[in-house]
Amino acid sequence: MIVMKFGGTLMGSSQAIKHSASLVVSSVKGGESVVVVPSAMSGVTDMLLKIASSASDGDIAFANDEIALLRQRHLSTAVDLGAAPNSSTVEKLLGLLEQLAQTVHGIGLLRELSSRSKDLIVSFGERLSAPLMALALEGQGVRALDLTGGQAGLLTGDDFGNARPLPEAYERIPERLGGLFQQNITPVVTGFIGETRKGVITTLGRGGTDYTATILGAALNADEVWLWKDVDGVMTTDPRLVPEARNLEHLSYAEIMEMAYFGAKVLHPLAVTPLQDKGIPLRVKSAADPSFPGTLVTSEPRAGEGAVKAVTAIRNSAIIDIGGAGMVGVPEVVSRIFNVLAQENVNVLMISQSSSMANISLVVMRPEAKRAFEALKNQFEGGEFVRTFELWEDVATVAVVGEGMRGEKGVAAKLFNAVAAEGISLHMISQGSSELNISFCIDESEVEKAVKAVHKAFGLERQMLATKDG
Ligand code: ASP
Ligand code: MG
């Protein structure tokens, strides 16, 4: 059994959906059981978020115009895929669009948007796209049934906007989907969304369709999970920064997770976690070139792979620096710092503390930096512990990733030599004891130069050694 995820671009038009469906069909016709997990059509989730916020600002007219565009796009796609005007697919789409309009109307009247109603609104993207995929599969001779995440058994907690699967989801999913395979029906399960025990719709966070696919893969003990993309696979770096970037044949779960956190928009950061215990392989595959192997992700790095596999960059980061002799030997200060950031719901990308403890530097995303900085100042200003506060906003964070760095000597020296040779100065450095990642901050204006130099220093443009154990 294979779980196949299709991103928004691969669901973006009737043409794209037909092609995506053909990739499913060729596996099904080859005797494979497939679960299909589509994203919303490209751009739709962003549009729904805009609809939600304009409705809560009272601009229902704008929201309704956007809903009309969604109606037009989904209905014309259904017709292109062969749906008759009074077919069950068209009825279903119209029903969903009507529900969406009513929900938006309610939000417009209340002028209030909770994270719970926001999840309901964005869920329409995948709920509208899944029937289109099912239609395309039927059109190519494969029996298919579209289900919401909740209908497929994906139970979550009620942490709206960022929901996590409940343990019982892993029992309920095979109960809900098992019967379909026996009847030779291919399930098409909406990505991104789940349901609480009370049946309220939740979302797994942006990019959550990846996570849906891996949760289903683990629950069903799938042989593999395939993420179909409009690129070849996961690359050594962003090809827009470095034209020599190339596809990575293989990564470990830990490596791809590290890359997901560090700006290489490869997948939802938690997506590999459901696969780890069972060791289910993940493949990132190119829809344009299905015979290309793409990137295989498994538990262990392979013999012969380089110490550094990839270099990623997060442009819009910022450094917050907190210092003062009063911090020395006062562990309570550290806990207060993190409490403040947690209350403000700010994610910390990177931390560094000198061993004297007189200074702590934190890297956060720039849009959150001011808020975090002000909150920390409020907490400590005028107190005895912290004397200096600094905020640097034009910073980029560069990270090199690879499990092979563990125990390997000279990696950091080579890395920082390459950066220094370009005349770039470092504002902050961090390496965890897992030695999976070395990250550093530089001026944002130097990010391209730095990434190019590091990519070259580690020879990432060269083909990885062929290994026999794959
Ligand atoms: N449609 C959702 C998003 O745009 C989920 C996904 O595509 O993975 O974030
Ligand atoms: Mg995505």
Side-chain angles (χ1 to χ4, degrees):
M1 177 191 297
I2 301 177
V3 179
M4 297 189 181
K5 175 257 176 169
F6 294 92
T9 314
L10 301 179
M11 294 295 296
S13 65
S14 57
Q15 239 6 69
I17 296 174
K18 272 186 203 159
H19 178 67
S20 298
S22 76
L23 299 169
V24 175
V25 170
S26 75
S27 286
V28 172
K29 297 235 157 119
E32 191 72 69
S33 298
V34 179
V35 180
V36 187
V37 186
S39 287
M41 294 181 87
S42 49
V44 168
T45 304
D46 288 333
M47 234 168 128
L48 289 164
L49 286 168
K50 256 191 357 213
I51 289 172
S53 72
S54 56
S56 70
D57 292 342
D59 192 353
I60 299 204
F62 173 83
N64 282 336
D65 288 350
E66 297 286 289
I67 294 174
L69 293 175
L70 288 176
R71 173 176 293 126
Q72 151 67 22
R73 184 166 175 203
H74 287 86
L75 289 179
S76 70
T77 305
V79 170
D80 285 350
L81 292 171
N86 55 357
S87 62
S88 60
T89 304
V90 168
E91 303 264 292
K92 179 180 254 174
L93 296 178
L94 287 171
L96 286 166
L97 288 156
E98 181 54 32
Q99 268 184 55
L100 171 62
Q102 281 176 11
T103 311
V104 165
H105 188 73
I107 288 168
L109 291 178
L110 292 168
R111 300 263 185 128
E112 180 186 77
L113 184 64
S114 62
S115 52
R116 173 175 168 155
S117 34
K118 205 186 218 173
D119 270 7
L120 177 59
I121 299 246
V122 288
S123 77
F124 284 96
E126 274 71 8
R127 287 157 78 197
L128 287 164
S129 71
L132 297 172
M133 174 56 95
L135 183 64
L137 289 168
E138 296 267 353
Q140 295 178 36
V142 163
R143 291 180 67 202
L145 180 70
D146 58 285
L147 304 150
T148 64
Q151 288 167 337
L154 210 174
L155 282 180
T156 73
D158 58 3
D159 29 3
F160 296 99
N162 229 350
R164 301 289 168 255
L166 297 177
E168 61 227 67
Y170 291 94
E171 285 152 34
R172 193 178 285 208
I173 290 165
E175 284 165 21
R176 293 288 174 92
L177 299 184
L180 295 176
F181 298 117
Q182 279 156 21
Q183 302 169 64
N184 275 322
I185 295 175
T186 297
V188 178
V189 180
T190 58
F192 184 44
I193 64 183
E195 201 173 284
T196 66
R197 284 200 189 102
K198 290 188 175 148
V200 181
I201 285 190
T202 54
T203 70
L204 305 175
R206 292 308 301 266
T209 301
D210 297 329
Y211 198 17
T212 301
T214 57
I215 293 166
L216 296 180
L220 296 166
N221 267 317
D223 296 298
E224 294 194 355
V225 174
W226 292 6
L227 308 180
W228 290 100
K229 298 255 167 186
D230 51 355
V231 294
D232 279 347
V234 184
M235 312 212 52
T236 51
T237 193
D238 183 345
R240 285 166 305 183
L241 285 181
V242 185
E244 293 80 20
R246 61 172 183 78
N247 185 65
L248 286 158
E249 288 163 31
H250 179 258
L251 287 167
S252 68
Y253 296 134
E255 287 168 340
I256 200 167
M257 208 174 345
E258 203 69 24
M259 289 174 72
Y261 273 116
F262 272 89
K265 295 212 167 80
V266 282
L267 84 175
H268 187 290
L270 290 181
V272 295
T273 55
L275 305 180
Q276 278 177 309
D277 288 341
K278 294 186 169 164
I280 298 172
L282 177 80
R283 265 180 217 279
V284 182
K285 282 182 68 74
S286 161
D289 189 4
S291 61
F292 187 77
T295 303
L296 174 67
V297 185
T298 61
S299 49
E300 299 291 330
R302 291 174 172 177
E305 291 180 343
V308 170
K309 296 258 191 80
V311 43
T312 69
I314 300 179
R315 281 170 184 276
N316 59 336
S317 33
I319 299 179
I320 297 173
D321 202 86
I322 300 169
M327 286 164 60
V328 177
V330 188
E332 183 215 329
V333 176
V334 182
S335 88
R336 274 168 64 191
I337 292 174
F338 287 103
N339 271 333
V340 170
L341 295 173
Q343 271 158 24
E344 290 294 318
N345 207 1
V346 171
N347 266 321
V348 180
L349 287 178
M350 190 170 141
I351 306 160
S352 130
Q353 181 187 29
S354 57
S355 56
S356 74
M357 291 173 56
N359 162 290
I360 292 180
S361 304
L362 306 157
V363 180
V364 300
M365 293 306 284
R366 199 172 305 148
E368 301 180 334
K370 278 246 160 60
R371 185 157 50 93
F373 185 66
E374 292 307 325
L376 287 166
K377 260 182 128 165
N378 275 339
Q379 172 74 212
F380 291 108
E381 214 166 34
E384 56 187 314
F385 297 127
V386 184
R387 285 293 139 86
T388 58
F389 300 89
E390 251 183 282
L391 173 64
W392 301 8
E393 289 199 280
D394 293 316
V395 169
T397 308
V398 178
V400 298
V401 174
E403 286 210 60
M405 293 196 281
R406 194 174 300 135
E408 174 95 7
K409 294 179 192 69
V411 177
K414 194 172 183 176
L415 171 65
F416 296 124
N417 273 330
V419 178
E422 298 293 323
I424 299 170
S425 52
L426 304 172
H427 302 318
M428 185 173 157
I429 300 174
S430 151
Q431 179 193 28
S433 56
S434 72
E435 296 185 46
L436 183 61
N437 171 319
I438 303 177
S439 335
F440 56 94
C441 293
I442 56 177
D443 284 349
E444 180 165 23
S445 58
E446 312 213 88
V447 68
E448 188 167 341
K449 230 168 36 172
V451 171
K452 277 203 167 97
V454 172
H455 198 267
K456 186 140 189 251
F458 288 98
L460 299 186
E461 73 285 0
R462 288 193 298 272
Q463 207 47 45
M464 225 185 262
L465 290 174
T467 51
K468 293 198 184 73
D469 62 344

